[in-house]
């Protein structure tokens, strides 16, 4: 998650090994990565005792930010060197720098916890200075040379004025872990509380009166909470319920500590390990890892670590030949490359056909895009030129050309286009594997995995995702990637959970073979869970399976809420296979028909007749049987942004997502013929039935008026020619720009319905491009800012008396669904495979509870707090 600038921490010691060890300890407790550096030692190898001011300055510059830098040093000489470094740093740092007289180890740990919470320099310094108080309190009276005396209370322990009780919601928790709230669990508690916009205090339940600041590691440590103690916590603010729910979950899983007593044991005795349980990890495998949800669902399985995909490197031009290679020799050398390109391209096209047959339109389009990368004549031309003019073989030439093509993508201004470098590397890697006669990398490796494996990978490639077998793979955990990367889209289409952005151990090898629970809703990976946690996870999986089986038995059952209120569940489709799968799965119509798929892999734009022929079988999957049927909604070509086309000469733009995209492109006179041809094709395809047409990327009322006028012209042309067509029809818009949400009352007066495109709405509201892994954490549809845009849209639709639905990814997100209902969404359009799962989710939701939940969610500070709120509503503390 992209965050504001954090305070940097520099640890200085006469011993470089000691400085490094303290820095590592602080990083581990602070739940890094954090801006922590160390300096120490003198000499060329820094192996002699001493300190160097320039070395300290270098460390300060490495962690410099506008938030400031805190320096901790051990002994007198180190203090002098640090003071000199601060003088040298004047004018070189972005923010203030401070050297404080805090204990080195305890101060570094306390400072790191606050840095992880995003605290300012004053708070970080104050915590470091107070870090000795817990040790003084614990060892008070242990000095035999002096009479016992109580330690002075820590400055971090806040006494409530005049003995008054702090305001807010109160709850008690029993601490059932070895050694109580020692360093690691206390740090985990502070980090959990720090995610929420609420104040919190805690105290021992048997020592009323002294309340500690729950955001202070020192305050918690000073309270001396041991195993078996009960703590009392009070939280106040909009996020207070979510904060307490998150703490409840943390306590229930024993703070991730080995040696905990599961909460289920309270009824009597240690819990027995179930027969045939998954293999346990060695002690210390690690606490729960938190990342970003990329695909919903839960998985229980054994972790299987996949090797990271190799990155293509430009090694520079080979030597120049004394004379160009003869054309016949070039052709002979080129033949293996040409054959490998053909084989991999054929395999990708076969994967695309198989995906379409299973109604996985997104996966099919991605495989086709990779095949198109390999079909680019520039690859063969580049290899041919190198073979002719440079001393190299075909494999070296291809690797170099592919590396430069990937580098070219990375140099582009648009983040989505930069991300396509990964597709080039992935496709080229498959070709190189064939050229090297190596086993095919992803499919071969994945096929050897044990059934029920949870993949652990640095970054899942597209080819790996396309090769996943849901019968063998239970889920995916990755360190890098985004929920809108091609690989994540494919994983969601398979119905597998996925979490990305995880701080995995180096190489991940320590996790291989370890039992784990992966939660794609909460965004967590829990290695080596206890028996109680496993039992709870398996119970959730069993209940979900029962619900899905029940729905499959009666697929025509409409979507209804727990009180019997109808809430239609439709399908988002792109092909006839999608539509047939949606109908078989019980979808109540087509909520979004992505018409632009006809253009994505076309060499030229299909004419009017070709477009009608393609649309007819899609609409035929949902024949109109009565006035209550919901008209299918056909979206106009949504071209531009992340959808470059071979068939159209689109203008080159520095930022295509903010440029000529969707209705803006169709409004451009250069593309009026494209628009008018499609409008006539849509009307003809809908002959004899009602249809809805949906306008993408609307920002102004004038854009709606222009499309309505063009539709009237197409209707007049067809009527004059005596061609059967749909008329009248419903006209609606995709609400996916902040402008549309803010102007929703004016736009609603011109529309028959709204449909929220939450994928784009999220990226535009949060100013976080959805294909850019660097801002994955910001591009979160559960952020309160996005939810407020949804609320504005729903309020305007309600006032105008028009329906509002969701056709973006949020519509199938189990945590988002109750919030959307509570905000006023009245229909959902989801991937065909998600229809029965979404219906099952609806059946357990009461409208009044959803409204109350949504109101509280709007008051949260971030998406993590919203997730915790929904999980608490569900009674899920995992």
């Amino acid at each position: 998650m992209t965050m504001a600038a954090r305070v940097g921490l520099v640890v200085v010691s006469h011993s470089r090994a000691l400085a490094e060890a303290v820095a590592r300890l602080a990083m581990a407790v602070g739940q890094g990565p954090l801006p922590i550096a160390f300096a120490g030692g003198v000499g060329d190898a820094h192996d002699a005792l001493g300190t160097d001011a320039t070395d300290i300055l270098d460390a300060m510059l490495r962690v410099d930010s506008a938030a400031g830098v805190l320096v901790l040093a051990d002994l007198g000489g180190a203090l002098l060197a640090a003071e000199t470094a601060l003088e040298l740093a004047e004018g070189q740092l972005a923010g203030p720098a401070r050297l404080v007289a805090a204990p080195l180890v305890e101060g570094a740990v306390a400072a790191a916890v606050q840095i992880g919470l995003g605290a300012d320099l004053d708070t970080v310094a104050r915590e470091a200075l107070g870090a000795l108080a817990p040790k003084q309190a614990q060892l008070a009276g242990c000095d035999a040379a002096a009479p016992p005396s109580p330690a002075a209370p820590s400055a971090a322990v806040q006494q409530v004025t005049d003995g008054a009780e702090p305001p807010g919601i109160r709850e008690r928790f029993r601490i059932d872990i070895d050694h109580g709230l020692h360093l690691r669990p206390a740090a985990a508690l502070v980090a959990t509380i720090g995610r929420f916009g609420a104040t919190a205090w805690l105290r021992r339940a048997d020592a009323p009166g002294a309340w500690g600041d729950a955001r202070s590691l020192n305050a918690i440590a000073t309270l001396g909470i041991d195993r078996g103690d009960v703590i009392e916590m009070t939280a106040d603010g909009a996020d207070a319920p979510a904060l307490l729910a998150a703490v409840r979950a943390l306590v229930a899983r024993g703070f991730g500590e080995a040696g905990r007593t599961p909460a289920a044991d309270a009824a009597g005795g240690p819990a027995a390990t179930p027969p045939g349980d998954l293999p346990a990890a060695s002690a210390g495998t690690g606490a729960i890892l938190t990342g970003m949800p990329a695909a919903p669902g839960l998985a229980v399985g054994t972790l299987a670590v996949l090797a990271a995909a190799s990155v293509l490197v430009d090694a520079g031009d080979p030597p120049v030949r004394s004379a160009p290679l003869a054309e016949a020799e070039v052709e002979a050398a080129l033949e293996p490359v040409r054959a490998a390109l053909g084989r991999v391209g054929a395999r990708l096209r076969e994967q695309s056909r198989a995906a379409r047959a299973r109604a996985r339109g997104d996966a099919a389009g991605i495989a086709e895009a990779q095949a198109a990368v390999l079909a680019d004549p520039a690859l063969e031309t580049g290899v041919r030129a190198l073979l002719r003019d440079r001393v190299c073989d075909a494999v070296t030439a291809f690797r170099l050309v592919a590396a430069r093509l990937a580098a070219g993508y990375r140099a582009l201004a648009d983040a989505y286009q930069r991300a396509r470098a990964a597709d080039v590397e992935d496709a080229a890697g498959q070709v190189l594997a064939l050229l090297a006669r190596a086993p095919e990398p992803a499919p071969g490796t994945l096929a050897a995995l044990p059934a029920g494996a949870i993949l652990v990978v640095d970054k899942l490639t597209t080819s790996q995702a396309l090769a996943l077998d849901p019968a063998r793979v239970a889920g995916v955990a990755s360190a890098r990637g985004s929920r809108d990367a091609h690989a994540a889209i494919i994983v969601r289409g398979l119905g597998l959970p996925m979490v990305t952005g995880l701080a995995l151990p180096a190489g991940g090898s320590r996790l291989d073979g370890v039992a784990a629970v992966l939660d794609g809703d909460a965004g967590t990976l829990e290695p080596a869970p206890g028996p109680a946690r496993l039992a709870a996870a398996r119970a959730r999986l069993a209940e979900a399976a029962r619900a899905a089986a029940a729905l499959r038995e009666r697929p025509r059952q409409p979507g209804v809420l727990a009180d019997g209120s109808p809430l239609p569940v439709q399908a988002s489709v792109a092909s006839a296979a999608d539509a047939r799968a949606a109908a078989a799965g019980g979808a109540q119509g087509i909520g979004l028909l992505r018409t632009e798929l006809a253009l994505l892999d076309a060499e030229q734009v299909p004419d009017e007749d070709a477009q009608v022929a393609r649309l007819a079988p899609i609409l035929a999957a949902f024949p109109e049987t009565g006035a209550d049927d919901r008209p299918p909604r056909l979206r106009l070509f949504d071209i531009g942004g992340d959808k470059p086309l071979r068939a159209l000469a689109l203008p080159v733009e520095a930022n295509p997502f903010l440029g000529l995209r969707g209705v803006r492109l169709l409004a451009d006179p250069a593309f009026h013929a494209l628009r008018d041809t499609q409008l006539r094709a849509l009307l003809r395809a809908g002959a004899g039935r009602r249809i809805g047409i949906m306008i993408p990327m609307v920002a102004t009322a004038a854009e709606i008026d222009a499309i309505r006028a063009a539709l009237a012209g197409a209707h007049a042309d067809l009527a004059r020619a005596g061609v059967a067509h749909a008329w009248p029809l419903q006209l609606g818009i995709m609400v996916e720009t902040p402008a549309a949400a803010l102007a929703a009352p004016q736009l609603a007066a011109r529309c028959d319905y709204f449909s929220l495109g939450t994928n784009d709405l999220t990226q535009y509201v949060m100013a976080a491009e959805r294909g850019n892994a660097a801002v994955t954490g910001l591009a979160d549809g559960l952020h309160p800012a996005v939810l407020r845009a949804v609320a504005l849209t729903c309020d305007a639709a309600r006032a105008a008396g028009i329906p509002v639905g969701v056709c973006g990814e949020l519509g199938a997100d189990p945590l988002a669904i109750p919030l959307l209902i509570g905000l006023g969404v009245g229909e959902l359009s989801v991937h065909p495979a998600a229809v029965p799962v979404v219906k099952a989710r609806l059946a357990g939701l009461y409208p009044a509870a959803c409204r109350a939940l949504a109101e509280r969610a709007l008051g949260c500070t971030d998406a993590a707090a919203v997730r915790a709120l929904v999980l608490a509503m569900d009674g899920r503390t995992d």
Side-chain angles (χ1 to χ4, degrees):
M1 184 175 188
T2 301
M3 305 185 73
R6 288 177 169 178
V7 174
L9 174 64
V10 175
V11 179
V12 181
S13 172
H14 283 68
S15 165
R16 192 171 188 83
L18 175 59
E20 181 178 4
V22 173
R24 288 184 180 278
L25 173 64
M27 187 78 78
V29 174
Q31 301 185 3
L34 299 174
I36 300 176
F38 61 90
V42 293
D44 292 342
H46 296 283
D47 54 356
L49 295 179
T51 51
D52 182 337
T54 58
D55 185 30
I56 299 171
L57 175 60
D58 286 343
M60 294 168 64
L61 292 171
R62 288 198 300 273
V63 296
D64 178 35
S65 79
V69 176
L70 181 71
V71 181
L72 304 181
D74 57 0
L75 302 173
L79 294 172
L80 292 174
E83 288 178 330
T84 303
L86 261 66
E87 293 174 4
L88 294 173
E90 192 169 344
Q92 298 190 54
L93 299 178
R98 192 176 305 173
L99 172 66
V100 298
L104 190 68
V105 177
E106 296 90 340
V109 168
V113 171
Q114 293 301 315
I115 291 170
L117 297 180
D120 59 22
L121 182 58
D122 288 340
T123 302
V124 174
R126 185 170 60 249
E127 278 290 294
L129 284 166
L132 207 55
K135 185 183 291 185
Q136 291 171 331
Q138 185 172 348
L139 299 181
C142 291
D143 186 353
S149 61
S154 165
V157 178
Q158 300 178 357
Q159 297 287 342
V160 180
T161 306
D162 299 327
E165 294 292 296
I169 309 169
R170 188 167 302 177
E171 191 165 344
R172 289 190 171 199
F173 305 99
R174 180 183 178 87
I175 306 303
D176 283 320
I177 53 173
D178 287 345
H179 314 300
L181 284 186
H182 59 94
L183 183 60
R184 286 191 307 272
L189 179 60
V190 172
T192 299
I193 291 170
R195 299 203 311 264
F196 300 94
T199 56
W201 301 267
L202 82 164
R203 66 180 178 182
R204 295 170 58 105
D206 61 354
W211 289 91
D213 180 357
R215 293 172 178 263
S216 167
L217 184 68
N218 296 328
I220 295 172
T222 304
L223 294 175
I225 299 165
D226 206 347
R227 181 170 189 162
D229 288 343
V230 176
I231 62 171
E232 201 167 18
M233 181 173 290
T234 297
D236 188 38
D239 284 357
L243 184 154
L244 290 174
V247 172
R248 194 182 312 124
L250 184 68
V251 172
R253 60 181 180 250
F255 297 82
E257 291 287 295
R260 60 159 293 208
T261 300
D265 301 350
T273 302
D277 203 3
L278 294 165
S282 58
T285 293
I288 292 177
L289 305 176
T290 301
M292 286 298 302
L298 185 74
V300 177
T302 304
L303 298 177
V305 179
L306 293 183
S310 60
V311 178
L312 297 174
V313 177
D314 184 349
D317 283 330
V320 178
R321 291 185 184 275
S322 57
L325 198 64
E327 190 62 28
E329 292 179 276
V330 171
E331 285 298 316
L334 185 62
E335 184 53 38
V337 172
R338 189 181 288 121
L341 286 168
R343 284 182 59 191
V344 176
R347 185 172 68 215
L348 287 166
R349 287 188 290 273
E350 178 55 37
Q351 287 175 329
S352 173
R353 284 191 290 271
R356 289 199 189 285
R358 296 193 297 272
R360 291 173 55 203
D362 287 332
I366 291 165
E368 288 163 4
Q370 282 209 345
V373 166
L374 297 182
D376 187 341
L379 279 174
E380 185 175 322
T381 301
V383 174
R384 183 189 299 276
L386 283 173
L387 289 172
R388 183 186 63 242
D389 300 328
R390 300 282 175 167
V391 179
C392 63
D393 58 24
V395 174
T396 300
F398 178 78
R399 181 180 287 109
L400 185 56
V401 171
R404 290 175 179 175
L405 179 59
Y409 273 105
R410 287 197 192 90
L412 296 175
D414 179 61
Y416 184 89
Q417 296 294 340
R418 288 198 303 272
R420 298 290 65 77
D423 286 330
V424 173
E425 290 186 330
D426 189 14
Q430 297 175 64
V431 173
L432 288 167
L434 283 182
L435 289 171
R437 290 182 168 82
E440 296 187 4
T445 303
L446 292 171
L449 292 174
I454 296 174
L455 300 188
V456 178
V457 64
D458 175 59
K459 185 175 183 180
L460 190 72
T461 67
T462 303
S463 61
Q464 287 170 336
L466 286 167
L468 292 179
D469 180 0
R472 301 187 64 81
V473 177
V476 179
S478 71
R480 297 186 297 137
S482 74
R483 73 171 272 111
D484 293 299
H486 282 168
I489 292 170
I490 294 169
V491 172
R492 279 199 297 277
L494 290 171
L496 297 175
M498 180 176 179
V499 178
T500 189
L502 292 163
L504 299 172
S509 57
R510 195 156 61 87
L511 299 175
D512 207 32
V514 173
V517 174
L518 180 77
D519 193 329
D521 299 325
T524 59
L525 173 67
E526 184 174 356
R533 174 71 175 106
L534 281 173
R538 286 171 174 150
R540 270 182 60 191
L541 284 172
E543 178 56 35
R546 283 193 294 270
L551 282 168
R552 281 195 296 270
E553 291 174 3
R554 49 184 192 280
R556 293 299 174 185
Q557 176 181 336
V560 292
L561 298 172
D563 68 344
S565 304
L567 199 147
V569 181
Q570 300 170 281
S572 300
V573 304
S575 66
D578 284 353
R580 288 191 293 269
Q588 295 172 256
I590 297 174
L592 167 64
L593 201 169
R594 299 184 179 96
T595 60
E596 63 276 357
L597 190 67
L599 302 180
L600 292 184
D601 55 356
E603 294 294 338
Q604 58 186 18
V605 177
D607 62 18
E608 185 177 322
D609 290 339
Q611 290 185 45
V612 173
R614 184 180 178 279
L615 292 169
I618 299 176
L619 298 179
F622 288 90
E624 190 170 63
T625 58
D628 292 336
D629 287 346
R630 312 190 74 76
R633 291 173 180 169
L634 290 64
R635 183 174 68 186
L636 300 181
F637 291 141
D638 187 8
I639 305 167
D642 59 346
K643 301 185 181 82
L645 304 173
R646 294 200 300 271
L648 286 175
L650 298 181
V652 176
E653 300 177 283
N655 193 337
F657 275 109
L658 299 182
L660 210 58
R661 184 183 171 200
V663 69
R664 301 173 183 181
L665 184 138
L666 298 176
D668 189 300
F671 296 97
H672 279 179
L674 174 75
R675 178 198 66 188
D676 295 341
T677 297
Q678 186 188 27
L679 293 179
R680 288 192 299 270
L682 296 179
L683 294 179
R684 286 177 54 194
R689 65 178 301 158
R690 295 172 302 136
I691 63 169
I693 287 180
M694 192 148 59
I695 313 172
M697 278 295 293
V698 168
T700 68
E703 292 165 338
I704 304 173
D705 294 341
I707 293 295
R708 191 177 289 279
L711 269 169
H715 161 59
D717 289 345
L718 292 171
R720 280 194 297 271
V723 177
H725 62 285
W727 198 265
L729 50 74
Q730 294 184 353
L731 183 64
I733 66 167
M734 297 274 288
V735 178
E736 49 192 340
T737 66
L742 292 171
Q746 292 74 37
L747 303 185
R750 290 169 160 80
C751 294
D752 296 304
Y753 61 87
F754 281 161
S755 188
L756 284 151
T758 54
N759 300 3
D760 276 320
L761 183 63
T762 298
Q763 77 165 342
Y764 290 128
V765 167
M766 301 305 297
E769 198 277 310
R770 64 188 188 186
N772 188 345
V775 291
T776 297
L778 278 176
D780 193 326
L782 290 185
H783 194 284
V786 180
L787 298 180
R788 290 185 191 108
V790 173
L792 288 173
T793 304
C794 291
D795 289 346
R798 188 183 304 111
I802 64 173
V804 57
V806 168
C807 60
E809 293 285 347
L810 280 191
D813 185 333
L815 298 188
I817 289 172
L819 298 169
L820 296 173
I821 294 169
L823 293 172
V825 169
E827 45 190 69
L828 300 172
S829 184
V830 300
H831 187 279
V835 169
V837 179
V838 170
K839 285 183 179 179
R841 179 65 164 146
L842 295 178
L845 298 174
Y846 287 90
C850 291
R851 287 191 291 272
L853 180 74
E855 185 174 347
R856 291 167 64 186
L858 292 175
C860 289
T861 57
D862 57 28
V866 172
R867 280 193 175 81
L869 195 65
V870 181
L871 289 170
M873 181 203 76
D874 287 348
R876 286 164 52 188
T877 58
D878 49 279

